Amino acid sequence: MPDLARICSDLEAEHLSLDELVAPLNDAGWDTPTPAEGWSIRDQISHLAFFDEEGAKAMAAPEEFAAGLQAIAEDVQAFVDGPSLKGRGMRPAEVLAWWREARSSMVTVFRVADPEVRVPWYGPWMKPASFISARIMETWAHGQDVADALGVEREPTERLKHICFLGYRARPFSYTAHGRPEPSGDVRLELHGPHGEEWTWGEGDEVVRGDALDFCLVVTQRRHLDDTDLVAKGDLAKEWLTIAQAFAGPPGPGRQPGQFPKRSSTT
């Protein structure tokens, strides 16, 4: 059984890592554009605050949360725009306080959750460990946008393993999101962790191999595949990497080839 307490602690560490980037910013700094078109740093943190708040509600009051899903279906665009609009109406210090309160409340309720319960959400309902792992991925990915906006290179940590696992598990969904049938056959994933660890999932002769950070950047669509050193062996592996995404929802525009310099990897 997954260690829910440890996963919650990893999420808190990811929160603090991003908090350290945004807390020192002045008001103008909060409106710095990020590589996500139309999104400022303020928008990135507002997005996280809103969904951390929703995460706490989904766990603590699942019936209330589920009841609200119908209202979202009636005006999807208002739901999508809501977090940014709310954040733009607040002072940066208020946005930061909003996020800190929301994330703290969410972790608090998940620490005492029944590990077998399924938590309602906008996509598939998940057990708490999977839900918190997804929040690690989301926080890390939006944190990458903030780091890119500020020209900061973050030190990779072992928390990347959560994102790598989600990326591997989401392979079937990557095909669904792109309107393609999932092909038969597995793809083996062989990654080098930030401290020389070897992380492996899957079986078979089709292989994706490389640095864990590169893989995380690709499956969260924060880097174009061409700007990484990932290697794919076999047609299935190559196809998957062109459409891979670890997040729910429709595929985004991602990043363009050459938008960022290829970083130095350990592979």
Side-chain angles (χ1 to χ4, degrees):
M1 181 180 295
D3 186 343
L4 183 56
R6 181 183 63 81
I7 300 173
C8 285
S9 293
D10 283 349
L11 176 56
E12 288 179 317
E14 200 63 50
H15 288 153
L16 290 174
S17 176
L18 177 53
D19 196 302
E20 290 172 357
L21 289 182
V22 299
L25 296 176
N26 59 24
D27 286 5
W30 276 80
D31 290 320
T32 302
T34 71
E37 186 175 354
W39 284 45
S40 66
I41 291 176
R42 178 200 299 263
D43 296 332
Q44 300 279 355
I45 301 302
S46 298
H47 177 88
L48 290 173
F50 176 82
F51 284 101
D52 286 347
E53 200 169 62
E54 290 293 284
K57 182 192 297 183
M59 184 70 253
E63 293 182 358
E64 178 186 346
F65 176 86
L69 294 178
Q70 181 60 41
I72 293 169
E74 293 171 359
D75 194 343
V76 175
Q77 195 57 51
F79 172 73
V80 171
D81 295 339
S84 295
L85 291 176
K86 179 177 178 179
R88 291 170 189 174
M90 302 167 74
R91 291 180 289 116
E94 294 172 328
V95 176
L96 182 57
W98 174 27
W99 179 45
R100 286 173 172 171
E101 173 61 28
R103 77 197 199 204
S104 176
S105 296
M106 180 182 63
V107 172
T108 296
V109 297
F110 272 88
R111 279 193 179 277
V112 296
D114 177 350
E116 294 301 316
V117 72
R118 288 201 170 270
V119 185
W121 200 236
Y122 305 103
W125 292 24
M126 296 170 278
K127 290 184 179 181
S130 295
F131 189 97
I132 293 298
S133 293
R135 296 312 300 159
I136 292 173
M137 179 270 294
E138 185 88 353
T139 304
W140 182 87
H142 288 285
Q144 185 63 47
D145 290 333
V146 171
D148 288 335
L150 297 174
V152 174
E153 186 169 341
R154 300 186 296 175
E155 190 72 24
T157 73
E158 292 183 1
R159 297 190 296 274
L160 294 179
K161 191 173 185 179
H162 297 291
I163 305 168
C164 294
F165 178 64
L166 286 176
Y168 170 74
R169 286 288 300 274
R171 179 172 166 255
F173 176 76
S174 297
Y175 283 89
T176 301
H178 285 80
R180 303 185 192 182
E182 180 190 357
S184 59
D186 197 5
V187 173
R188 192 167 76 254
L189 184 60
E190 299 177 353
L191 300 174
H192 303 289
H195 304 298
E197 313 95 325
E198 296 296 324
W199 298 338
T200 304
W201 295 275
E203 299 177 350
D205 296 329
E206 300 258 348
V207 182
V208 168
R209 183 181 294 114
D211 187 79
L213 177 54
D214 276 348
F215 183 73
C216 291
L217 289 166
V218 167
V219 298
T220 59
Q221 296 186 358
R222 265 53 187 185
R223 291 293 185 274
H224 192 278
L225 177 60
D226 291 353
D227 295 332
T228 73
D229 288 325
L230 292 174
V231 175
K233 175 188 174 185
D235 292 340
L236 288 181
K238 292 175 182 177
E239 181 184 27
W240 174 37
L241 278 188
T242 65
I243 61 172
Q245 65 179 73
F247 53 90
R255 304 292 177 260
Q256 298 303 309
Q259 186 173 349
F260 296 94
K262 184 179 290 190
R263 63 178 202 84
S264 298
S265 70
T266 58
T267 58

